[in-house]
Amino acid sequence: TLTAPAPFADETSCQCQAPHEKLTIAQARLGTPADRPVRIYADGIFDLFHAGHARALMQAKTLFPNSYLLVGVCSDDLTHKFKGFTVMNETERYEALRHCRYVDEVIRDAPWTLTPEFLEKHKIDFVAHDDIPYSSAGSDDVYKHIKEAGMFVPTQRTEGISTSDIITRIVRDYDVYARRNLQRGYTAKELNVSFINEKKYRFQNQVDKMKEKVKNVEEKSKEFVYKVEEKSHDLIQKWEEKSREFIGNFLELFGPDGAWKQMFQERSGRMLQAFSPRQSPNSSPTRGRSPSRSPSPPWVINKTSPPASPKAASASLSSMSEGDEDEK
């Protein structure tokens, strides 16, 4: 478990105690004793330390089963002389390497070209670097003599990322980063920005803020309209369901065959029956006429049918008495 950064070579007493015998790549791949790790050296500028650097160091560390990785970092003076100006200074670059998990030891102020004396001093078995010829310091390939000595082991570059790519992005989007840092509190002097450009960048920042506010308002408006449409759709759907239910109930009650019509017909029949009841049939048989006698005069009272009222009865009695007197 890693609990501390990798030590610097000039500040540590951790050295390989076993005799430094020459190893071949085949011997290194078979494995070495625990007290005799394969000492691999990788060097570079490591400006703006990124994933491509880390992957190269990971490959160097895992080339052999038992390895010890030393990383050499060139100083600012040497780098500015042979390669150019760096974004990070040498102290920042040293510290970045110390905190990489694959690094066992950091060599500060590493040489630009590896000498036999340097390789012997640090007991280096192999040098790891990508296989592309690295022309510098008047040489077509600064690792040519290492390759000829059989001490070179290649690693693969990570495509799509490099220090130059990162710097290119910054230069390309310079205005964006200048405005960003002005907004975060850096002064125009710290950013080496002129007075006119400072005002221009600050005005652009204000415009961007307004655009962002308008964008937020538009998004909220769209969200509000969407919610209103969704609720309106639900309300319309519920209204349609209720209206269908209301129409169905209305037709069931007042339709052509509805309950209201049947109830009205029943009540109408009862009212008509109450106003004009049916006459009951006459149960008594009609008295037969005698052939020898003439029909009864109209004043003869039918004994079977009672008078309709007391006045009619008295009128019938008076007529009967008058009839008897005539007969006499």
Side-chain angles (χ1 to χ4, degrees):
T1 302
L2 299 176
T3 57
F8 290 121
D10 53 354
E11 295 180 353
T12 181
S13 59
C14 180
Q15 298 291 336
C16 182
Q17 301 298 327
H20 186 66
E21 298 175 357
K22 183 67 175 177
L23 291 175
T24 63
I25 293 178
Q27 290 174 333
R29 286 176 178 170
L30 289 174
T32 56
D35 61 344
R36 176 58 174 93
V38 180
R39 295 174 69 84
I40 303 170
Y41 177 79
D43 62 353
I45 310 303
F46 301 106
D47 191 20
L48 297 176
F49 188 80
H50 52 74
H53 294 142
R55 287 177 61 87
L57 297 177
M58 177 189 70
Q59 294 176 57
K61 176 68 175 178
T62 57
L63 284 169
F64 306 109
N66 182 22
S67 60
Y68 186 87
L69 181 61
L70 300 94
V71 179
V73 184
C74 300
S75 65
D76 286 345
D77 293 337
L78 202 59
T79 303
H80 298 166
K81 178 180 178 181
F82 290 108
K83 190 170 184 178
F85 192 74
T86 59
V87 178
M88 300 170 64
N89 59 45
E90 59 184 26
T91 303
E92 294 169 336
R93 293 185 286 115
Y94 296 154
E95 286 296 322
L97 267 299
R98 292 186 70 196
H99 295 277
C100 179
R101 63 183 299 181
Y102 310 112
V103 178
D104 294 306
E105 190 175 317
V106 175
I107 301 175
R108 294 183 287 192
D109 194 13
W112 197 260
T113 302
L114 301 179
T115 62
E117 293 77 16
F118 178 84
L119 297 174
E120 181 63 28
K121 174 183 177 181
H122 296 281
K123 299 181 180 180
I124 296 171
D125 294 310
F126 300 100
V127 176
H129 200 274
D130 60 82
D131 203 13
I132 300 173
Y134 194 81
S135 59
S136 180
S139 174
D140 293 337
D141 189 0
V142 294
Y143 298 106
K144 183 178 180 180
H145 64 290
I146 303 294
K147 295 176 181 178
E148 292 175 349
M151 298 176 62
F152 187 85
V153 285
T155 58
Q156 299 296 322
R157 291 178 64 90
T158 302
E159 297 297 331
I161 185 169
S162 67
T163 302
S164 298
D165 292 337
I166 297 173
I167 293 174
T168 300
R169 293 182 210 170
I170 296 172
V171 173
R172 181 191 62 197
D173 301 326
Y174 169 77
D175 290 351
V176 175
Y177 294 116
R179 289 165 52 191
R180 169 181 177 267
N181 283 7
L182 282 173
Q183 195 172 6
R184 293 192 174 188
Y186 288 88
T187 65
K189 184 177 180 180
E190 290 173 324
L191 296 173
N192 196 24
V193 173
S194 66
F195 176 80
I196 295 175
N197 285 337
E198 178 190 4
K199 297 304 179 185
K200 181 182 74 173
Y201 294 150
R202 294 192 184 279
F203 176 74
Q204 289 174 342
N205 287 336
Q206 294 297 326
V207 172
D208 289 345
K209 286 182 180 179
M210 291 299 298
K211 288 181 179 179
E212 188 68 23
K213 287 182 180 180
V214 171
K215 184 179 178 181
N216 292 335
V217 170
E218 289 179 352
E219 290 179 353
K220 290 181 180 179
S221 300
K222 289 180 181 178
E223 185 178 357
F224 175 75
V225 171
Y226 175 76
K227 288 182 179 179
V228 170
E229 290 178 352
E230 188 177 8
K231 289 184 178 180
S232 300
H233 179 73
D234 293 340
L235 289 174
I236 291 172
Q237 187 175 3
K238 290 180 181 179
W239 182 83
E240 289 179 350
E241 293 175 357
K242 291 294 181 182
S243 62
R244 291 193 192 99
E245 183 180 355
F246 176 78
I247 292 170
N249 293 336
F250 182 85
L251 292 176
E252 185 178 354
L253 186 60
F254 298 102
D257 299 326
W260 177 259
K261 183 177 180 182
Q262 295 178 2
M263 183 174 64
F264 180 76
Q265 289 177 351
E266 291 177 0
R267 291 189 177 183
S268 299
R270 291 177 184 175
M271 291 177 66
L272 290 173
Q273 187 176 3
F275 285 119
S276 57
R278 296 180 181 177
Q279 294 182 356
S280 60
N282 192 359
S283 60
S284 59
T286 306
R287 182 181 294 177
R289 295 180 182 180
S290 175
S292 60
R293 298 181 63 180
S294 59
S296 301
W299 57 80
V300 179
I301 300 172
N302 189 357
K303 295 181 180 180
T304 60
S305 58
S309 63
K311 291 183 179 181
S314 59
S316 300
L317 290 174
S318 60
S319 63
M320 287 176 62
S321 59
E322 290 177 356
D324 291 343
E325 288 178 359
D326 292 338
E327 290 179 358
K328 290 180 180 179

